[in-house]
Structures are given as structure tokens and as C-alpha cells.
Amino acid sequence: MNRAAKNVWVLADHMDGRLNPVSFELLSEARRIAEEGSGRVEAVVFGLDDADTVSRLAHNGADRVRIIETGPSAGYDPDAYTEALGGLIEAEGPGLVLFPANSTGADLAARLAAARSWPIFPKAANIRTPDGELEITRTLAAGKVHAQVTAATPDPCLVTIAPDVIGLGDVDPSREATVVREPLVRPDAPLIEVLGFTKGDPRTVDLTEAEKVVSAGRGMGAAENVKLVEDLAGALGGSVGGTRVAVDLGWLPKARQVGQTGKTVQPRLYVACGLSGATQHTMGMKQSETIVAINTDPSAPIFKISDLAVTADAVELLPVLTKKCRQASVEV
């Protein structure tokens, strides 16, 4: 049996103290692969050290959580992260390491592959272990071609997977994980000095990473009314989303679409503005922690999954909400 199927590591990515949902997708895939070889799943997380983080990683598939203690670090430090994770992988010998194909995961995986001469398979769509060997499917030519590749060396294989490709697996609240803490090993002569981070406009943050999402549906009435959604998102410090209809009408770009054929999101707050709650859309947002829905139809399906249902015209209500949110922000 290839050791890749026995010992699988996952980089648990996080932002602003909150685990990125793609981390749970990777843990689900790691769990499946490890169980085929009666192996172990290990989540590696930089800096985020609290009981809730450990519990969520365990419930989603981790047998062990390895916390790399970063101290009062400002965030992702390419040189230090590469040195620390590379040393641990060499020492512990996992056969497979999964990374999210986002800015942090893709960068770190590429640096590790270059520094250690390990094989890397970016943006995998599927991972199989026939006869104990690692077989990876990648999409090429804008999704028109699927290529199956296998690792030619016994070195640790680094694989990046984009959000919403694998999907979330079953959660086991009874699963517990052991915790191992490691110091952050910094290189003697770093090539990069991290001075700080400048956040982008939260309204345009990738929907899969947003903590708050305000979405527009057909009920917003016209393209110019989407500005009201953007204003509320700005006041909340959230990101802008929309339904497939809003995208098809040209009100929002495809990257802003939430749903079965768009992005799957799990924000702390989801505000649904003028959308009915078709299954195609709710499949992509029903796992949100708190759902607030605004619709003129009291029987709209979206109200069935909402924590707060407001029967009103979103076009009229949103300016009032935005004003109140801005006032509350100033008072704080």
C-alpha cells in the first residue's frame, strides 16, 4: 500500500481567526483516502490555537491537529511557513499533503515543491488510490480535458484543490483529535520580510472566504438596485453575492454567483435580498450560520431556512438598514 493512502496531511487555512470552509472539504477527502488504507488524517494549522478550532477540525475528519505556534505574527510568512512545514513533512513522512488552491495554499505548496524537489499536482479534481497507488485527475484547457497522472517518486506528493470541487463530507461530532504543538522555525537568512498586510475591499473578497455575504435576487428589480446590496455589504464589511438569475441578467459577474452552479459559502451572516430561495441557490448557502431573508412574498421558500424572515420590499428596506449599520459602526 502506498504510504499516501495511509498518512494524509491537510493545510487548514484560516483568515481573521476563522477556518476557511475549503479546509473542511480537504479534510473530508483526506478522511476518505486515509480510510482506504486504514491510515491517519492530520490537520496542520499555523497560529490558530483554540479549543473550537481543534474540535471543528476533528469533527470534519482530523485524527491529529498539529498547531504551529507563530506567536504575534501578522499573517502568512512565506519563508517561515515553507521552512517549518517542509521540516515537519520531512521528519514525519506523510505520503500526501493537501492544500487549498487559494492564494496561501497554492503559494506555499509551490514553494515547498521548489525547495524540496517534491512532486506537485495543482488544482486536482479527483484523487484515487487504485492498488494503493496515488492517481490524480487534473483539468486542463479550461476544463475541456481531464488528465490522469501518477506520482513517479516515493516523495511526499503535494496536491492543491480548489474550493467547491470536493464538497463537504459528513461531520462526526464524536470524533476527537490529539493535539501536537510545534514552534515556528524561521530560516537563518530569510529572502522575504513581511511588514504587514493590507486588506482588500471586503465587497469583492472571494465569496468562499467571506464572513458576511449580502446577495441580490430577481426581486431587486433592476441592475441599478444592486447598488443597494453593495452599499449594505460595505456597511457590514461583507462581500456581494447573487443568484443565477441576477448573474444571467448581467447585474453581477459570474464570480459573484452563489448556488449549485456557483460558489458554496458558509459565512457567519448571509443576507438574502429579494430572492425566492430556489433549491439551486440554497444548495450553496444553507450552511450559513445566520440567514436573514428579505422578500415581499410571505410564502417564499427562502423563509423556511431563514433565522430572520422580513416580509418587505428589499429596495425600500436596504437603504434604511445600511444607514442604521453605518450609524452603529460609528457609535462603536
Side-chain angles (χ1 to χ4, degrees):
M1 176 67 72
N2 187 302
R3 65 176 178 168
K6 288 190 174 182
N7 193 359
V8 186
W9 284 19
V10 170
L11 176 67
D13 186 41
H14 58 89
M15 180 179 290
D16 295 330
R18 184 169 182 257
L19 288 165
N20 191 322
V22 69
S23 300
F24 304 132
E25 295 184 56
L26 300 187
L27 283 170
S28 174
E29 183 70 354
R31 182 85 257 154
R32 179 188 66 79
I33 296 169
E35 287 180 351
E36 290 178 358
S38 301
R40 184 181 71 240
V41 176
E42 185 163 319
V44 180
V45 58
F46 283 85
L48 196 58
D49 188 353
D50 59 76
D52 181 63
T53 295
V54 173
S55 294
R56 296 188 71 191
L57 293 173
H59 296 169
N60 281 274
D63 299 306
R64 175 181 292 173
V65 176
R66 191 177 296 268
I67 300 170
I68 301 178
E69 299 172 323
T70 60
S73 172
Y76 177 51
D77 186 329
D79 281 351
Y81 278 37
T82 301
E83 184 78 11
L85 186 54
L88 287 172
I89 293 173
E90 270 193 345
E92 301 293 334
L96 176 63
V97 186
L98 304 181
F99 299 80
N102 56 16
S103 57
T104 299
D107 184 78
L108 182 54
R111 289 178 183 276
L112 282 167
R116 309 276 177 161
S117 297
W118 290 336
I120 182 171
F121 303 91
K123 293 192 175 179
N126 189 33
I127 302 174
R128 297 178 62 247
T129 55
D131 300 320
E133 295 301 318
L134 191 64
E135 183 180 274
I136 297 157
T137 302
R138 296 183 59 217
T139 55
L140 307 174
K144 297 181 177 65
V145 177
H146 283 71
Q148 288 186 339
V149 293
T150 57
T153 71
D155 295 319
C157 294
L158 314 180
V159 177
T160 72
I161 301 176
D164 303 327
V165 170
I166 300 297
L168 295 171
D170 295 331
V171 176
D172 182 0
S174 67
R175 182 183 290 112
E176 296 182 353
T178 58
V179 177
V180 177
R181 291 178 174 82
E182 306 278 1
L184 180 65
V185 179
R186 299 182 183 276
D188 294 331
L191 300 176
I192 299 173
E193 181 183 0
V194 179
L195 301 178
F197 290 85
T198 302
K199 290 186 177 182
D201 186 338
R203 292 172 296 181
T204 58
V205 163
D206 189 305
L207 287 168
T208 61
E209 300 181 5
E211 292 194 0
K212 300 170 186 175
V213 176
V214 184
S215 278
R218 187 198 295 269
M220 292 307 298
E224 55 267 25
N225 291 334
V226 176
K227 178 66 165 55
L228 302 177
V229 173
E230 295 173 347
D231 289 344
L232 179 58
L236 291 172
S239 192
V240 176
T243 62
R244 179 173 178 175
V245 172
V247 171
D248 289 345
L249 290 171
W251 296 354
L252 290 167
K254 174 68 175 177
R256 297 287 104 194
Q257 182 179 330
V258 175
Q260 198 168 18
T261 57
K263 299 288 184 69
T264 299
V265 300
Q266 287 184 291
R268 291 178 177 173
L269 173 65
Y270 190 91
V271 184
C273 306
L275 58 89
S276 62
T279 301
Q280 194 279 337
H281 182 77
T282 57
M283 286 291 288
M285 48 69 71
K286 63 182 181 180
Q287 298 300 322
S288 303
E289 290 185 20
T290 301
I291 300 173
V292 176
I294 306 168
N295 198 294
T296 56
D297 181 5
S299 61
I302 189 66
F303 285 163
K304 295 179 181 179
I305 64 170
S306 300
D307 297 287
L308 176 62
V310 182
T311 305
D313 186 341
V315 175
E316 297 179 357
L317 182 60
L318 259 55
V320 179
L321 286 179
T322 300
K323 182 178 180 180
K324 291 293 184 181
C325 288
R326 287 173 175 164
Q327 288 175 345
S329 177
V330 170
E331 289 172 1
V332 170

